[in-house]
Amino acid sequence: MAPAAPADRGFFARIAPALLMMVLPPVFTEWLLGGTRLSAIIGFPPIIFMEIIVWGGGALMLRALARKLGLGWGSLILFGLAIAMAEEFVIQQTSFAPLVIKLKGVEWARAGGINYVYALWALAYEAVWVVLMPTLVAEMVFPERKNETWLSPVGLIVVGLLFPIGSAMAWYGWTHIARVQTFHLPLYNPAPGELIGALAVIAGLFVWAIKFPPRLAASAPPPSPLLLGIGGAIWSTLWFLLVVLAFGLMPQLSAPAIFAAYLLLILIVLVCMARWGADAGWAERHSFGLFFGTLGGAMLATFAGFVGNATPADMGFKIATNLVALVLMILLGRKIAARR
């Protein structure tokens, strides 16, 4: 049976992919992995609106732009880095300001006014979980509509107006409330030149993505979905380790060496994924295997951050949401298998 034409779809059927695309980024980035705990949601309910509008709205607009211009995954990665740069250096400024978490009470991996190991972790983490994985999953849920933008002119106006409002709320909520009142640290204001530099980098990423979209001519047969899943789980675990190191878990380690090693890892993953994804043998089952392993590994690894550092309600929320996610992933996998 052929999919319904746009005019034949009801209102909610038309906007369903966009709604999913807006919800998945905060689900992946914050709620499943512990970035935003139940206690934070109860203590400050507007955080839900902020995360859906900033993460979800931003991802929806970036994906729509990529599909509108016919850009590939390389450009989508650059768009993901752009919104991560906006979050880390302009909105919440967590890569500029001294970190609020210092596990051993010492400053580590900070130079030139930037938490550079933390920034490396955040830029890759947010590009993956805010833009890339939500796009991958949403297009697996709605495969017949993956070439659509999912954003009408009216929808673009609404999301475009809400995005700066959500960003302003997120900026004030973190820099003036959480940082000062929760963590009892002084207000931090980056220098104007630092903010201008960050905005220039964001603009450069957009120019690169649109005018000079990355392309890799060579392709290679992809590994099996199982091996991709195992690789994704290993990456998730290593990336959780990086943020713990960025918080100063082992300050005796060389921060420049850790930065260089993880940067090399990013480059290797990017080259491999680009070559495998360009191969004609890449199929939906490969995408699912990669997603399942990466999210599964991330959910397991982030439990370590709850041990001895979470209320029973927060731990219960983590367990419940992760179990629900696991069930939904299995159902999606069965749906994909049935399409083969």
Side-chain angles (χ1 to χ4, degrees):
M1 187 175 187
D8 297 332
R9 300 185 186 119
F11 173 73
F12 287 107
R14 291 199 304 272
I15 68 172
L19 292 178
L20 180 63
M21 190 68 199
M22 289 189 70
V23 170
L24 287 179
V27 167
F28 290 160
T29 311
E30 304 289 345
W31 306 340
L32 290 179
L33 306 184
T36 299
R37 300 185 179 188
L38 179 62
S39 55
I41 295 172
I42 294 174
F44 189 62
I47 198 171
I48 297 176
F49 169 82
M50 289 156 40
E51 290 173 351
I52 290 176
I53 293 302
V54 177
W55 283 143
L60 176 63
M61 290 189 291
L62 291 173
R63 183 202 169 276
L65 179 61
R67 295 295 174 260
K68 179 74 173 178
L69 299 179
L71 301 173
W73 285 94
S75 294
L76 206 58
I77 291 172
L78 296 177
F79 286 161
L81 289 174
I83 194 171
M85 277 289 303
E87 173 72 10
E88 290 301 314
F89 292 92
V90 180
I91 300 173
Q92 293 194 330
Q93 304 167 358
T94 39
S95 289
F96 272 145
L99 292 174
V100 299
I101 299 176
K102 298 175 183 176
L103 296 176
K104 295 299 178 68
V106 297
E107 198 82 71
W108 187 78
R110 182 173 173 81
I114 296 175
N115 308 309
Y116 60 92
V117 170
Y118 174 84
L120 178 67
W121 168 82
L123 293 179
Y125 176 86
E126 291 163 11
V128 168
W129 292 115
V130 172
V131 177
L132 299 181
M133 282 298 180
T135 298
L136 189 73
V137 173
E139 292 185 354
M140 284 192 287
V141 175
F142 297 99
E144 74 282 358
R145 299 179 63 183
K146 64 181 181 180
N147 294 322
E148 300 175 16
T149 64
W150 301 345
L151 198 56
S152 67
V154 174
L156 177 60
I157 292 172
V158 172
V159 177
L161 289 175
L162 289 175
F163 182 81
I165 295 173
S167 298
M169 291 174 63
W171 167 78
Y172 189 84
W174 177 259
T175 61
H176 287 67
I177 297 177
R179 182 177 180 84
V180 176
Q181 298 180 19
T182 303
F183 293 98
H184 307 292
L185 294 173
L187 185 67
Y188 184 87
N189 293 308
E194 293 176 326
L195 293 175
I196 292 172
L199 291 172
V201 171
I202 293 169
L205 288 169
F206 273 99
V207 172
W208 184 4
I210 296 171
K211 295 296 184 181
F212 310 99
R215 304 198 187 283
L216 190 64
S219 64
S224 69
L226 176 60
L227 289 179
L228 284 168
I230 293 172
I234 293 172
W235 181 88
S236 294
T237 303
L238 290 174
W239 225 251
F240 176 74
L241 175 61
L242 181 61
V243 72
V244 176
L245 291 175
F247 289 148
L249 176 66
M250 303 177 70
Q252 71 273 19
L253 296 180
S254 168
I258 295 295
F259 181 89
Y262 269 87
L263 183 60
L264 178 60
L265 175 61
I266 290 176
L267 294 176
I268 292 173
V269 170
L270 284 175
V271 170
C272 290
M273 289 305 306
R275 297 189 66 189
W276 295 335
D279 189 79
W282 184 277
E284 230 180 10
R285 65 183 186 277
H286 295 95
S287 298
F288 177 77
L290 177 65
F291 161 65
F292 189 94
T294 306
L295 183 57
M299 291 192 299
L300 284 175
T302 50
F303 269 106
F306 282 70
V307 177
N309 186 35
T311 66
D314 284 339
M315 179 62 84
F317 182 74
K318 164 76 168 165
I319 294 171
T321 55
N322 284 200
L323 287 175
V324 170
L326 179 61
V327 171
L328 293 176
M329 285 194 293
I330 292 172
L331 292 176
L332 176 60
R334 294 181 63 180
K335 182 178 179 181
I336 290 171
R339 290 202 291 256
R340 291 173 59 185

